[in-house]
Amino acid sequence: MVGKENIKAVVQAFGRGTHWLGRSGRSYDLVAEKLDAFGMEDADLYLITKGNHVLWVGSTAELVSDPMSRSRFRLALDCGDRAFRLASRGAEADRLSTIWDLEGAEPVSGAQAA
């Protein structure tokens, strides 16, 4: 018999993909997560959005080390309607610039993955 934790891992691994453009014009592949049930991995970056408006971008590192990010995260959970995970982790050295870029991101219209 398959446990609930195994089912959850499979569902998360096959989330719906989408493409967003950052402030810089860089394209990002994101994977949709269930807002009410997603679990954060240490090295992954996440977005919480309301429609096409990004409310919060970060990782567990921001939640632990930055009280302002924690406050924004809580508010985003209350107000947001979607969550996404950055499909590729990228270089750790680029994490802060990636967060900045994604804070002004918007979805690419017409380029949704099936």
Side-chain angles (χ1 to χ4, degrees), residues 11-20 28-33 82-87 107-108 110-114:
V11 170
Q12 287 180 350
F14 293 100
R16 185 169 182 227
T18 185
H19 305 284
W20 286 53
Y28 294 94
D29 292 327
L30 304 176
V31 177
E33 300 276 343
R82 297 188 292 167
F84 298 95
R85 175 180 43 85
L86 192 61
V108 176
Q112 297 295 327

Side-chain angles (χ1 to χ4, degrees), residues 52-83:
N52 295 337
H53 181 71
V54 177
L55 301 175
W56 179 84
V57 179
S59 67
T60 56
E62 281 72 41
L63 295 178
V64 170
S65 65
D66 184 11
M68 181 64 84
S69 184
R70 263 193 312 276
S71 296
R72 288 182 61 208
F73 177 76
R74 283 190 221 110
L75 182 61
L77 283 178
D78 288 340
C79 300
D81 58 9
R82 297 188 292 167

Side-chain angles (χ1 to χ4, degrees), residues 7 36 105:
I7 293 171
D36 59 347

